[in-house]
Amino acid sequence: MKNFLVIGNPISHSLSPKLHNYWIKVHNINAIYEKRKLVESDLKNLIAEVKLNKIVGINITVPFKKSIVPLVDELSESANKTQSVNTIYKKNEKIIGDNTDIGGFEKALKHVGYNVSNKKVFILGAGGVSASIIYSLEKMGVKNISLSNRTKEKALELKKMFPSINIVNWGDHIDFDMIINATSLGLNKTDRIELNFNDNYKNKLFYDIIYNPSKTKFLTTAETKGSDIENGKLMFIYQAQLAFEIWHGVKPKIDTETIKFLND
Ligand code: ATR
């Protein structure tokens, strides 16, 4: 029996075990995928478990995507460019840190038929997932990216990695075609993002990386005002599909049945 794991803190909201165990069953694989809540000082021992084959693969979620970076032996090109790891596996006795958030975001946008070339994108947040989104958008040929974060220093750190992004003060207005909430605001039902868009909602796409709850206040407000909205569910499913393929060598199907199964 092969053991797989998602780690994070908090971790109870994660749907990764449900999705991976569903695909494991569909493909008749002798494996189990579990979740584990831990603290940063546990990460070293966790990697040791992979070295000893006690764990075959790990998904990393908030807030460890960065702190795991120095603990792996090698980074994939995308993990290196973003300094963010969400998938771990062992290859030739080396622990590899990879990033499937980038591909997951790209595939999610393709799935809904949204083309970012010639689009102005405004990202809110400079946490773990923002670098992956920027990298993905640049790869897809976005027109330009502006980014705003409550703590400006963290936005400026991202600008060092991606010099072409434009940093906007938290609370300032800019014009955009697509806005992405990459902050953790919205995870709690009462959270609201204190930004006033001046009724600038028409012909815009409001995208929230959060998928649980499925409609944050950010999305419900935008929907009421006439914007298109999308949550992070598809990005989540596609990053999982890419990780599954890395670990098991098969690409699980993503169809309406899979998406419905996750919603139930
Ligand atoms: P980490 O920063 O550890 O990677 P994260 O959950 O990936 O954690 O990122 C949290 C993001 O949500 C950050 O951009 C954070 O802004 P700060 O850098 O200023 O902390 C943002 N965030 C969280 N709570 C917020 C709030 N109440 N108002 C505005 N932004 C908030």
Side-chain angles (χ1 to χ4, degrees):
M1 170 88 79
K2 291 179 177 175
N3 291 304
F4 294 84
L5 207 58
V6 58
I7 60 145
N9 195 344
I11 197 62
S12 57
H13 70 285
S14 173
L15 293 178
S16 290
K18 186 174 176 180
L19 182 56
H20 277 274
N21 285 322
Y22 170 74
W23 283 334
I24 281 168
K25 204 168 156 202
V26 167
H27 290 277
N28 237 330
I29 297 166
N30 186 21
I32 184 159
Y33 187 113
E34 292 169 307
K35 58 183 155 196
R36 194 187 287 176
K37 181 176 164 181
L38 40 74
V39 293
E40 195 164 332
S41 55
D42 296 327
L43 294 179
K44 238 186 174 147
N45 285 338
L46 183 79
I47 295 295
E49 286 185 72
V50 184
K51 286 223 157 109
L52 295 169
N53 300 322
K54 287 186 184 162
I55 306 170
V56 174
I58 306 173
N59 278 138
I60 322 284
T61 187
V62 173
F64 302 122
K65 289 182 185 188
K66 250 187 200 324
S67 38
I68 201 83
V69 166
L71 301 178
V72 300
D73 298 322
E74 249 173 47
L75 293 172
S76 69
E77 192 194 336
S78 56
N80 188 34
K81 284 259 164 64
T82 53
Q83 288 297 299
S84 175
V85 164
N86 82 323
T87 302
I88 279 181
Y89 58 98
K90 193 163 105 175
K91 190 177 167 192
N92 302 330
E93 294 309 307
K94 283 194 170 151
I95 308 295
I96 316 288
D98 206 339
N99 181 331
T100 69
D101 285 330
I102 297 162
F105 182 70
E106 182 174 347
K107 282 168 184 280
L109 286 189
K110 291 230 167 83
H111 187 116
V112 296
Y114 193 76
N115 183 356
V116 298
S117 58
N118 285 315
K119 296 285 191 335
K120 290 173 275 188
V121 179
F122 188 19
I123 300 172
L124 305 176
V129 78
S130 293
S132 301
I133 290 167
I134 297 168
Y135 185 75
S136 190
L137 287 168
E138 288 190 344
K139 205 164 141 253
M140 288 185 276
V142 69
K143 186 172 177 189
N144 65 54
I145 298 173
S146 301
L147 184 140
S148 187
N149 192 55
R150 177 182 59 177
T151 312
K152 197 171 182 180
E153 292 74 39
K154 275 168 76 182
L156 293 171
E157 283 303 311
L158 275 175
K159 190 169 169 66
K160 282 187 200 152
M161 294 164 76
F162 304 97
S164 64
I165 67 170
N166 168 40
I167 304 302
V168 175
N169 288 330
W170 187 249
D172 280 2
H173 295 286
I174 56 151
D175 187 32
F176 59 83
D177 300 303
M178 176 189 194
I179 185 164
I180 303 171
N181 176 33
T183 73
S184 48
L185 274 174
L187 280 176
N188 294 315
K189 280 229 156 86
T190 51
D191 285 349
R192 62 166 62 242
I193 297 176
E194 298 294 347
L195 293 180
N196 179 1
F197 297 105
N198 292 337
D199 282 325
N200 188 12
Y201 286 95
K202 290 278 180 281
N203 299 317
K204 312 269 190 243
L205 175 62
F206 277 62
Y207 195 106
D208 205 319
I209 299 303
I210 295 170
Y211 61 88
N212 190 7
S214 61
K215 268 191 203 171
T216 55
K217 264 218 170 73
F218 177 72
L219 292 187
T220 45
T221 308
E223 190 177 39
T224 316
K225 304 264 187 183
S227 308
D228 291 330
I229 62 164
E230 202 59 55
N231 72 13
K233 178 69 77 56
L234 284 171
M235 178 182 177
F236 163 73
I237 296 175
Y238 280 106
Q239 65 73 30
Q241 183 193 46
L242 289 164
F244 195 94
E245 199 176 0
I246 289 171
W247 294 329
H248 305 290
V250 280
K251 186 174 172 178
K253 234 178 31 194
I254 294 175
D255 50 19
T256 44
E257 210 176 305
T258 321
I259 297 167
K260 191 179 169 301
F261 165 77
L262 269 187
N263 290 337
D264 288 343

